[in-house]
Amino acid sequence: MKKVIYILFLVVLFTSCKKFLEVEPQLQVDQDQAIINAGSATTAANGLFNLLASNGYYGSNFLALSYLSAGDIQWSGSQADPNEITKHLTSATNGYVQSAWTAIYRTISQANYIIDKVPGVADPQFSTALRNQYLGEAYFVRALAYFDLARGWGGVQLILRPTNTSSDNSDIPRSSLADTYAQVLKDLNAAETLVPAVVNRNRVSLRTVQALKARFYLYQKNWALAEQFATLVIGDNANYSLVTTYSAFFANNVASTNESILELAYTTSNTNNHSNWWLPPALGGRREWSPNDALVAQLNNPAIGGNRNALIARTAPPGNLWYGRLYYRNPLGTDPAYLIRVSELYLIRSEARAYQGNFTGATADLNAVRSRAGLSASTASTLAEILLALENERQLEFAFEGDRWFNLVRTDRAQTVLALPDKHLYLFPIPYNETLVDPQLGGANRNPGY
């Protein structure tokens, strides 16, 4: 029997409905398919982005945890798992939690494999530039994955080597939140020295790394560095800019506009599940999550939503049902997933400037985003007013991009805004099946309250 190199960190069996969660089977690569030359390295790098784009991760379920937790999106289906999330009753057996956790660790495992194997490839066709690109992308994706784990689950197990056998990477304790974030920064620093400067909105370039660094430093409350890295991206206005009007980054089947710093591309053979959940049956979807009445009212108010009402539409009478149309393309599932946009960098820099006392600069950045949305300039002039204005702006600017929940948790506003009974809900539960098979995740190592 051939020796098998397992890319999946842990085989997880759970009973959630597969058609709703798009759970993929265990991914394996045998020795005949290992990274041994330029071609197989390219295949592995492409596979890394397929995992990042999978329906367990940015193709649906990880973002759904944020959508459904943030109070703006209602669930109108029959499945128990998403209904739990909208009510802040998420259990450790929730299938969305398990699916997202598994998908993120699978992505990390693939990144580890590339980081371990690519440096040793001896192939005259494998240029130094391409080798560095694949390594840099692997470090970046691993950084993003641990960043997502940190903001979703807190400090986690840091798996930094390939899982070649079932005994590899066993008995690893959970790291602290600080150590988890430290690993994110270490990987981003490595990526920054390796990836190319040339723009590629579907892969990783220098500005992609710098944009994620700006987000990272915002979460760390390192305002000076958050501003510095946001400025590096905003200042490259030949390649990155706010496109006008708001819908110009997604409408009319456009892709990879100057607005996008990183978006994941999908095809008919590699689809995502967003439109399936957002669109009504008449357009081929299920409309099992939709904007609630409050969000619809905000988006349709010209003084609040501006031209961002392009994000929603209404079915014909007698249904008259509002639905989200950020993801709408035909064939279904071929819409990009938007991971980092230029508008986020403006709002990051605005907040960073506000905390440093530069209220004029802060409102200038806030108003750049508002102006693009067809809104008048904000009258916010104090720190508290600017922070609230930024919170409200993010709510509508990224209404269907999974930002609001993590932003409210980051600013410790989730309990107040969403009337949460307890702050243990700021973190998702460690999946129950993981706690059963790994003592380092069970017992007292579980997230509190679950």
Side-chain angles (χ1 to χ4, degrees), residues 17 65 68-69 73 155 211 245 264-265 287 355 387 427 438 441 450:
C17 178
L65 291 174
L68 299 173
S69 295
I73 307 303
T245 59
L264 300 176
R287 194 185 170 271
Y355 271 111
L387 294 180
L427 296 178
D438 190 344
L441 297 175
Y450 294 105

PDB file of all heavy atoms in Angstrom, residues 17 65 68-69 73 155 211 245 264-265 287 355 387 427 438 441 450:
ATOM      1  N   CYS A  17     -26.544  17.916   7.835  1.00  0.00           N
ATOM      2  CA  CYS A  17     -26.991  17.631   6.471  1.00  0.00           C
ATOM      3  C   CYS A  17     -25.969  18.099   5.456  1.00  0.00           C
ATOM      4  O   CYS A  17     -25.657  19.273   5.370  1.00  0.00           O
ATOM      5  CB  CYS A  17     -28.325  18.338   6.245  1.00  0.00           C
ATOM      6  SG  CYS A  17     -28.975  18.142   4.578  1.00  0.00           S
ATOM      7  N   LEU A  65     -21.278  32.347   9.700  1.00  0.00           N
ATOM      8  CA  LEU A  65     -21.210  32.502  11.149  1.00  0.00           C
ATOM      9  C   LEU A  65     -21.278  33.975  11.530  1.00  0.00           C
ATOM     10  O   LEU A  65     -21.907  34.356  12.526  1.00  0.00           O
ATOM     11  CB  LEU A  65     -19.919  31.877  11.695  1.00  0.00           C
ATOM     12  CG  LEU A  65     -19.805  30.361  11.630  1.00  0.00           C
ATOM     13  CD1 LEU A  65     -18.417  29.918  12.070  1.00  0.00           C
ATOM     14  CD2 LEU A  65     -20.870  29.702  12.494  1.00  0.00           C
ATOM     15  N   LEU A  68     -24.941  35.614  10.325  1.00  0.00           N
ATOM     16  CA  LEU A  68     -26.090  35.211  11.119  1.00  0.00           C
ATOM     17  C   LEU A  68     -25.959  35.606  12.579  1.00  0.00           C
ATOM     18  O   LEU A  68     -26.944  35.599  13.318  1.00  0.00           O
ATOM     19  CB  LEU A  68     -26.285  33.694  10.995  1.00  0.00           C
ATOM     20  CG  LEU A  68     -26.555  33.193   9.573  1.00  0.00           C
ATOM     21  CD1 LEU A  68     -26.572  31.669   9.521  1.00  0.00           C
ATOM     22  CD2 LEU A  68     -27.873  33.744   9.030  1.00  0.00           C
ATOM     23  N   SER A  69     -24.745  35.978  13.003  1.00  0.00           N
ATOM     24  CA  SER A  69     -24.537  36.410  14.382  1.00  0.00           C
ATOM     25  C   SER A  69     -24.766  37.898  14.571  1.00  0.00           C
ATOM     26  O   SER A  69     -24.961  38.359  15.701  1.00  0.00           O
ATOM     27  CB  SER A  69     -23.102  36.079  14.826  1.00  0.00           C
ATOM     28  OG  SER A  69     -22.864  34.687  14.860  1.00  0.00           O
ATOM     29  N   ILE A  73     -29.167  39.869   9.532  1.00  0.00           N
ATOM     30  CA  ILE A  73     -29.592  38.835   8.579  1.00  0.00           C
ATOM     31  C   ILE A  73     -30.504  37.856   9.294  1.00  0.00           C
ATOM     32  O   ILE A  73     -30.177  37.347  10.370  1.00  0.00           O
ATOM     33  CB  ILE A  73     -28.378  38.089   7.996  1.00  0.00           C
ATOM     34  CG1 ILE A  73     -27.364  39.086   7.426  1.00  0.00           C
ATOM     35  CG2 ILE A  73     -28.815  37.092   6.931  1.00  0.00           C
ATOM     36  CD1 ILE A  73     -27.909  40.013   6.361  1.00  0.00           C
ATOM     37  N   GLY A 155      -7.562  31.969  21.180  1.00  0.00           N
ATOM     38  CA  GLY A 155      -6.302  31.254  21.004  1.00  0.00           C
ATOM     39  C   GLY A 155      -6.556  29.812  20.593  1.00  0.00           C
ATOM     40  O   GLY A 155      -7.437  29.146  21.142  1.00  0.00           O
ATOM     41  N   ALA A 211      -2.395  45.155   3.188  1.00  0.00           N
ATOM     42  CA  ALA A 211      -3.788  45.397   3.560  1.00  0.00           C
ATOM     43  C   ALA A 211      -4.187  44.542   4.758  1.00  0.00           C
ATOM     44  O   ALA A 211      -4.842  45.027   5.690  1.00  0.00           O
ATOM     45  CB  ALA A 211      -4.701  45.109   2.375  1.00  0.00           C
ATOM     46  N   THR A 245     -20.251  54.074  -9.089  1.00  0.00           N
ATOM     47  CA  THR A 245     -20.852  54.221  -7.777  1.00  0.00           C
ATOM     48  C   THR A 245     -20.561  52.972  -6.944  1.00  0.00           C
ATOM     49  O   THR A 245     -19.810  52.106  -7.388  1.00  0.00           O
ATOM     50  CB  THR A 245     -22.372  54.397  -7.904  1.00  0.00           C
ATOM     51  OG1 THR A 245     -22.914  53.253  -8.583  1.00  0.00           O
ATOM     52  CG2 THR A 245     -22.720  55.623  -8.720  1.00  0.00           C
ATOM     53  N   LEU A 264     -11.770  36.215  -4.320  1.00  0.00           N
ATOM     54  CA  LEU A 264     -11.586  34.838  -4.764  1.00  0.00           C
ATOM     55  C   LEU A 264     -12.475  34.574  -5.961  1.00  0.00           C
ATOM     56  O   LEU A 264     -13.674  34.869  -5.936  1.00  0.00           O
ATOM     57  CB  LEU A 264     -11.921  33.864  -3.629  1.00  0.00           C
ATOM     58  CG  LEU A 264     -11.079  34.014  -2.367  1.00  0.00           C
ATOM     59  CD1 LEU A 264     -11.560  33.060  -1.277  1.00  0.00           C
ATOM     60  CD2 LEU A 264      -9.603  33.773  -2.663  1.00  0.00           C
ATOM     61  N   ALA A 265     -11.883  34.027  -7.014  1.00  0.00           N
ATOM     62  CA  ALA A 265     -12.623  33.773  -8.246  1.00  0.00           C
ATOM     63  C   ALA A 265     -13.226  32.368  -8.225  1.00  0.00           C
ATOM     64  O   ALA A 265     -12.635  31.425  -7.682  1.00  0.00           O
ATOM     65  CB  ALA A 265     -11.687  33.913  -9.440  1.00  0.00           C
ATOM     66  N   ARG A 287     -33.073  31.487  -0.890  1.00  0.00           N
ATOM     67  CA  ARG A 287     -33.378  32.622  -0.006  1.00  0.00           C
ATOM     68  C   ARG A 287     -33.597  32.153   1.438  1.00  0.00           C
ATOM     69  O   ARG A 287     -34.600  32.436   2.066  1.00  0.00           O
ATOM     70  CB  ARG A 287     -34.610  33.393  -0.493  1.00  0.00           C
ATOM     71  CG  ARG A 287     -34.749  34.771   0.199  1.00  0.00           C
ATOM     72  CD  ARG A 287     -36.028  35.481  -0.183  1.00  0.00           C
ATOM     73  NE  ARG A 287     -36.251  36.658   0.638  1.00  0.00           N
ATOM     74  CZ  ARG A 287     -36.914  36.648   1.795  1.00  0.00           C
ATOM     75  NH1 ARG A 287     -37.428  35.522   2.243  1.00  0.00           N
ATOM     76  NH2 ARG A 287     -37.066  37.762   2.488  1.00  0.00           N
ATOM     77  N   TYR A 355      -8.159  57.676  16.794  1.00  0.00           N
ATOM     78  CA  TYR A 355      -7.564  57.317  18.085  1.00  0.00           C
ATOM     79  C   TYR A 355      -6.252  58.067  18.338  1.00  0.00           C
ATOM     80  O   TYR A 355      -5.827  58.200  19.481  1.00  0.00           O
ATOM     81  CB  TYR A 355      -7.331  55.810  18.171  1.00  0.00           C
ATOM     82  CG  TYR A 355      -8.525  55.066  18.717  1.00  0.00           C
ATOM     83  CD1 TYR A 355      -9.276  54.214  17.909  1.00  0.00           C
ATOM     84  CD2 TYR A 355      -8.892  55.198  20.047  1.00  0.00           C
ATOM     85  CE1 TYR A 355     -10.373  53.519  18.419  1.00  0.00           C
ATOM     86  CE2 TYR A 355      -9.986  54.508  20.565  1.00  0.00           C
ATOM     87  CZ  TYR A 355     -10.715  53.673  19.753  1.00  0.00           C
ATOM     88  OH  TYR A 355     -11.807  52.989  20.259  1.00  0.00           O
ATOM     89  N   LEU A 387     -16.196  57.195  16.071  1.00  0.00           N
ATOM     90  CA  LEU A 387     -16.238  55.739  16.229  1.00  0.00           C
ATOM     91  C   LEU A 387     -17.631  55.192  15.962  1.00  0.00           C
ATOM     92  O   LEU A 387     -17.778  54.140  15.317  1.00  0.00           O
ATOM     93  CB  LEU A 387     -15.771  55.349  17.632  1.00  0.00           C
ATOM     94  CG  LEU A 387     -14.308  55.640  17.972  1.00  0.00           C
ATOM     95  CD1 LEU A 387     -13.991  55.199  19.389  1.00  0.00           C
ATOM     96  CD2 LEU A 387     -13.352  54.979  16.975  1.00  0.00           C
ATOM     97  N   LEU A 427     -17.051  34.474  21.359  1.00  0.00           N
ATOM     98  CA  LEU A 427     -16.315  33.408  20.690  1.00  0.00           C
ATOM     99  C   LEU A 427     -17.268  32.290  20.302  1.00  0.00           C
ATOM    100  O   LEU A 427     -18.251  32.015  21.006  1.00  0.00           O
ATOM    101  CB  LEU A 427     -15.222  32.840  21.596  1.00  0.00           C
ATOM    102  CG  LEU A 427     -14.092  33.792  21.988  1.00  0.00           C
ATOM    103  CD1 LEU A 427     -13.120  33.084  22.931  1.00  0.00           C
ATOM    104  CD2 LEU A 427     -13.357  34.317  20.763  1.00  0.00           C
ATOM    105  N   ASP A 438      -9.702  15.109  20.959  1.00  0.00           N
ATOM    106  CA  ASP A 438      -8.464  15.795  21.310  1.00  0.00           C
ATOM    107  C   ASP A 438      -8.576  16.382  22.715  1.00  0.00           C
ATOM    108  O   ASP A 438      -9.275  17.375  22.927  1.00  0.00           O
ATOM    109  CB  ASP A 438      -8.187  16.921  20.307  1.00  0.00           C
ATOM    110  CG  ASP A 438      -6.796  17.519  20.476  1.00  0.00           C
ATOM    111  OD1 ASP A 438      -6.162  17.291  21.531  1.00  0.00           O
ATOM    112  OD2 ASP A 438      -6.340  18.225  19.550  1.00  0.00           O
ATOM    113  N   LEU A 441      -8.432  20.074  23.418  1.00  0.00           N
ATOM    114  CA  LEU A 441      -9.554  20.932  23.076  1.00  0.00           C
ATOM    115  C   LEU A 441     -10.771  20.674  23.953  1.00  0.00           C
ATOM    116  O   LEU A 441     -11.742  21.435  23.906  1.00  0.00           O
ATOM    117  CB  LEU A 441      -9.948  20.736  21.599  1.00  0.00           C
ATOM    118  CG  LEU A 441      -8.895  21.111  20.564  1.00  0.00           C
ATOM    119  CD1 LEU A 441      -9.378  20.761  19.167  1.00  0.00           C
ATOM    120  CD2 LEU A 441      -8.541  22.590  20.646  1.00  0.00           C
ATOM    121  N   TYR A 450     -19.702  26.927  26.860  1.00  0.00           N
ATOM    122  CA  TYR A 450     -20.245  25.947  25.913  1.00  0.00           C
ATOM    123  C   TYR A 450     -20.065  24.529  26.466  1.00  0.00           C
ATOM    124  O   TYR A 450     -19.071  24.231  27.091  1.00  0.00           O
ATOM    125  CB  TYR A 450     -19.537  26.057  24.560  1.00  0.00           C
ATOM    126  CG  TYR A 450     -19.793  27.358  23.856  1.00  0.00           C
ATOM    127  CD1 TYR A 450     -18.824  28.349  23.797  1.00  0.00           C
ATOM    128  CD2 TYR A 450     -21.022  27.592  23.228  1.00  0.00           C
ATOM    129  CE1 TYR A 450     -19.060  29.548  23.128  1.00  0.00           C
ATOM    130  CE2 TYR A 450     -21.248  28.792  22.560  1.00  0.00           C
ATOM    131  CZ  TYR A 450     -20.278  29.760  22.512  1.00  0.00           C
ATOM    132  OH  TYR A 450     -20.512  30.936  21.855  1.00  0.00           O
TER     133      TYR A 450
END
